[in-house]
């Protein structure tokens, strides 16, 4: 099976406005689809650094002297680039979330389709797994994960039910969790609700919101003048953060104005929000929720 089919490939790489001899970073290497396209547009002096925290993705590494794969979390982007002597880059691409491979490998526990141990760690060496969140989080904390990250209005009742069930017997697998939650999941919307519940747990396990914020905050300092940021996100929580950061340099609230009414915002958007074409979604259903935002340094 194909590892991952890249989404908005041309649009996101076009967004980087590649200089053939520039230095670029693909922080979500996965199957390397975007990285290969970036390399194709670089000359012999260009350089590409990529990040992926998943051991499986590291096996897709590209044999090219211009390319370096850093097997780390991109929340540490500046620190690891500095290790390679890089302080400024010309563009950063992020294709957030989980790869098709991660969804399709049953034992990784990301998919509602398979019965697997509750795991959902993108980094197989990570300490927090879905088992821990479901079985050991206090009720309030679990409820807040389901409210904030799964965006479920009945998060409290669902958390209560999980806590009741686990007091009798630990919930070990995705199908056991589905069974516990069956009363909250009407057949007609089963897929949607379960996907939301799994998404919330996954975001918590991988600390995706915190990681995205830490990453974005490092971008203004990392980019050269005219440097570009190209971010593809797959759910509204991520997209909102990206949009707000580009608009105001903040994740919530409005930036303070100086005495002349000017605001100091580090980035500015380039073009409008881009979504996949109908024909891309037809070919690759996983593209359906993608949103691409491009920005540059002010
Ligand atoms: C949507 S896939 C990227 C697919 C890739 N663009 C391609 O064309 O094959 C996201 C990848 O980013 C990785 N990833 C997600 N969050 C990460 C993080 N915080 N640090 C490092 N890698 C991360 C995942 O392990 C996954 O392989």
């Amino acid at each position: 099976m194909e590892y991952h089919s890249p989404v908005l490939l041309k649009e996101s790489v076009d967004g980087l406005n590649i200089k053939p001899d520039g230095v670029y970073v693909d922080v979500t290497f996965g199957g390397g689809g975007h990285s290969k396209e970036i390399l194709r547009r670089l000359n012999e002096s260009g350089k590409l650094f990529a990040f992926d925290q998943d051991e499986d993705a590291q096996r897709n590494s590209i044999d090219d002297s211009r390319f370096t794969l850093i097997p780390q979390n991109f929340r540490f982007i500046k620190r690891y680039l500095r290790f390679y002597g890089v302080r400024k880059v010309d563009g950063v691409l992020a294709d957030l979330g989980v790869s098709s491979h991660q969804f399709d490998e049953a034992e990784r526990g990301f998919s509602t389709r398979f019965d697997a141990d509750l795991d959902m760690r993108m980094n197989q060496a990570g300490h927090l797994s879905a088992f821990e969140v479901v079985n050991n989080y206090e009720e309030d904390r679990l409820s807040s994960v389901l409210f904030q990250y799964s965006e479920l209005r009945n998060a409290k009742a669902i958390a209560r039910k999980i806590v009741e069930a686990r007091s009798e017997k630990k919930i070990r697998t995705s199908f056991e969790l589905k069974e516990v939650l069956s009363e909250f999941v009407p057949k007609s919307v089963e897929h949607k609700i379960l996907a939301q519940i799994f998404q919330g747990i996954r975001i918590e396990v991988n600390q995706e919101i915190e990681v995205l914020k830490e990453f974005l905050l490092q971008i203004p300092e990392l980019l050269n003048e005219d440097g570009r940021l190209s971010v593809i996100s797959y759910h509204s929580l991520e997209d909102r953060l990206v949009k707000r950061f580009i608009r105001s340099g903040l994740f919530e609230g409005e930036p303070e104005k100086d005495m002349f009414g000017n605001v100091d915002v580090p980035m500015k958007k380039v073009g409008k929000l881009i979504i996949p074409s109908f024909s891309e979604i037809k070919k690759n259903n996983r593209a359906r929720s993608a949103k691409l935002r491009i920005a540059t340094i002010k």
Side-chain angles (χ1 to χ4, degrees), residues 28-34 52-53 72-74 95 97 102 122 211:
T28 48
F29 177 69
H34 289 89
D52 205 301
Q53 59 180 339
Q72 298 293 343
N73 195 310
F74 63 66
D95 177 20
Q102 287 164 330
M122 288 193 213
V211 167

Side-chain angles (χ1 to χ4, degrees), residues 193-246:
I193 304 285
L194 284 173
Q196 272 175 268
I197 294 171
F198 274 54
Q199 169 188 290
I201 297 171
R202 187 199 94 201
I203 291 176
E204 175 66 14
V205 166
N206 297 289
Q207 301 284 298
E208 291 174 41
I209 300 299
E210 287 315 311
V211 167
L212 179 59
K213 287 181 178 172
E214 285 175 31
F215 160 74
L216 289 170
L217 286 168
Q218 296 171 69
I219 296 300
E221 239 185 281
L222 193 57
L223 284 182
N224 278 323
E225 217 176 291
D226 294 336
R228 290 287 185 91
L229 171 70
S230 195
V231 184
I232 308 171
S233 57
Y234 294 85
H235 55 78
S236 56
L237 294 169
E238 280 171 348
D239 181 55
R240 210 176 301 146
L241 288 180
V242 176
K243 180 170 130 189
R244 287 188 179 163
F245 184 72
I246 293 172

Side-chain angles (χ1 to χ4, degrees), residues 139-140 142-144 146-147 152-165 180-181 183-184 197:
E139 188 172 331
D140 279 354
L142 189 53
S143 160
S144 124
L146 295 168
F147 184 71
L152 291 167
R153 269 184 289 160
N154 54 351
K156 268 199 169 139
I158 297 183
R160 178 95 283 268
K161 177 75 195 187
I162 291 176
V163 169
E164 266 167 33
V180 166
L181 298 179
E183 72 189 76
F184 297 96
I197 294 171

Side-chain angles (χ1 to χ4, degrees), residues 3-7 9 26-35 51-55 57 60 70-75 93-100 102 108 122-123 206-208 211-212 232 234:
Y3 193 93
H4 184 87
S5 173
V7 172
L9 179 62
D26 172 0
V27 294
T28 48
F29 177 69
H34 289 89
S35 278
F51 285 74
D52 205 301
Q53 59 180 339
D54 185 343
E55 267 173 28
N60 301 323
I70 302 175
Q72 298 293 343
N73 195 310
F74 63 66
R75 80 194 305 170
L93 179 133
D95 177 20
L96 300 171
V98 182
S99 66
S100 302
Q102 287 164 330
R108 303 292 299 269
M122 288 193 213
N123 172 356
N206 297 289
Q207 301 284 298
E208 291 174 41
V211 167
L212 179 59
I232 308 171
Y234 294 85

Side-chain angles (χ1 to χ4, degrees), residues 19 33 41 74 85 148 241 243 246 250 253 264 271 274 291:
K19 298 184 180 131
R41 299 187 192 193
F74 63 66
Q148 286 187 60
L241 288 180
K243 180 170 130 189
I246 293 172
L250 300 171
D264 185 17
I274 298 175
K291 288 195 169 121

Side-chain angles (χ1 to χ4, degrees), residues 149-187:
Y149 300 156
S150 303
E151 302 185 279
L152 291 167
R153 269 184 289 160
N154 54 351
K156 268 199 169 139
I158 297 183
R160 178 95 283 268
K161 177 75 195 187
I162 291 176
V163 169
E164 266 167 33
R166 76 188 192 195
S167 68
E168 295 193 354
K169 181 173 152 292
K170 295 267 186 218
I171 305 169
R172 297 200 173 274
T173 71
S174 40
F175 280 13
E176 282 175 23
L177 180 61
K178 268 162 92 165
E179 181 61 34
V180 166
L181 298 179
S182 55
E183 72 189 76
F184 297 96
V185 184
K187 269 272 167 274

